[in-house]
Structure formats: structure tokens, C-alpha cells
Amino acid sequence: MTENLFDKIDRLEAGESLDRESYTAPIEKRNEELAGYLFGKAAGMREKYYGNRIYIRGLIEFTNYCKNDCYYCGIRKGNRKAERYRLGREEILECCRKGYVLGFRTFVLQGGEDPWYTDDKDRRAGPGHKKGAQRLRSDALRGGKGERSLSEAF
């Protein structure tokens, strides 16, 4: 059985699409030898695609308003001590410019579930930032809108 699991790992590495059991078996039936083999393959793939470089993204929290009241979260709607803000287009661009000078090359927009940001406002914010942020690649800006997908948000 173990030999078969090594073969499944090799097939995954080769990019084959496998059935569900072929994906789960190396995890569910792993032992020290199999885990070492799998981790070695994963390290090889990481090295192949990323080398030993570290990628750091700048995080821009563009709003801390939120319609949700998740108890664990500091920006929940019920937190009366939170000082609320929304960054506008130019403020977000300025964050990108400053981040670029500091060495960041990609940026993530993140915020609470703020109903003020409608689909129309998000669309104007997203692509406009990409074009307006000097010397930033067109794929350097990512968005995170919580319960909305990226395609819905931008």
C-alpha cells in the first residue's frame, strides 16, 4: 500500500488530476517515511516556482466600518470605542505610493463589511487604483471584501 501512495504523490507532482481517494490517502495513511517524501516534493515545488525569496504584501485597511457584530472582532458594529474611517481613492493611492518607496510591490485592500461601498463604488476604486498607482504592475493590487467575492467587489 505504501508504494502505491508514493506513486500517487509522484502523479500529483506531475500535475495529474486524480480521484478524491488519491488526494486524501497520502494524508490519511501517512507515516514518517511518506510524510518526509511528501514534504520533500512540496519543498522542491516551492523552490522551483519561488526560490528562496520572501514576498511581502502591503496591507491597506481602507475601511473599518462593519455591518456585522462578530464578538471577537475589534471593528464590529457594536464597538462604540472604534474610531471609524473610510479611505478615499487618493488616500489609497498615497498608501500604495508610500508602500512602493518602502519596498512593497503588491498591496491588499482589506476592510470591514461596509455597506457604504456599493458595487459601483468598488468598481471605480479597484481598476482606477491600478492605473493611478505609479510604477505598480497591473496585478499589484488585490482586494478582500469578506463575504463578497473578488469579482463582486472589483
Side-chain angles (χ1 to χ4, degrees), residues 71-140:
Y71 186 72
Y72 64 88
C73 186
I75 64 171
R76 67 183 177 275
K77 74 177 179 181
N79 182 357
R80 300 193 194 289
K81 293 182 180 182
E83 294 183 30
R84 304 295 179 178
Y85 65 88
R86 292 180 178 110
L87 298 182
R89 175 188 172 94
E90 287 306 314
E91 292 168 303
I92 294 171
L93 283 172
E94 186 58 26
C95 289
C96 290
R97 289 182 193 105
K98 287 180 180 180
Y100 191 90
V101 169
L102 292 171
F104 294 100
R105 294 300 180 263
T106 60
F107 302 89
V108 176
L109 291 178
Q110 174 179 294
E113 296 294 329
D114 187 347
W116 185 85
Y117 285 97
T118 62
D119 288 345
D120 183 52
K121 287 178 185 167
D122 287 341
R123 274 190 284 280
R124 283 183 292 167
H129 293 151
K130 291 179 187 177
K131 293 175 188 168
Q134 296 173 349
R135 298 182 354 198
L136 292 174
R137 297 187 327 264
S138 64
D139 65 342

Side-chain angles (χ1 to χ4, degrees), residues 19-87:
D19 59 35
R20 182 179 175 93
E21 192 275 334
S22 295
Y23 284 108
T24 60
I27 297 168
E28 292 172 348
K29 299 173 182 172
R30 74 178 180 268
N31 57 38
E32 193 172 322
E33 181 184 12
L34 189 65
Y37 187 74
L38 180 59
F39 295 152
K41 293 289 188 176
M45 295 295 279
R46 183 195 67 237
E47 180 70 27
K48 176 180 175 182
Y49 290 102
Y50 299 105
N52 62 357
R53 296 171 295 218
I54 297 173
Y55 295 88
I56 301 174
R57 288 194 169 135
L59 178 63
I60 301 169
E61 185 97 23
F62 67 98
T63 179
N64 73 346
Y65 283 86
C66 191
K67 67 179 182 169
N68 297 331
D69 208 16
C70 304
Y71 186 72
Y72 64 88
C73 186
I75 64 171
R76 67 183 177 275
K77 74 177 179 181
N79 182 357
R80 300 193 194 289
K81 293 182 180 182
E83 294 183 30
R84 304 295 179 178
Y85 65 88
R86 292 180 178 110
L87 298 182

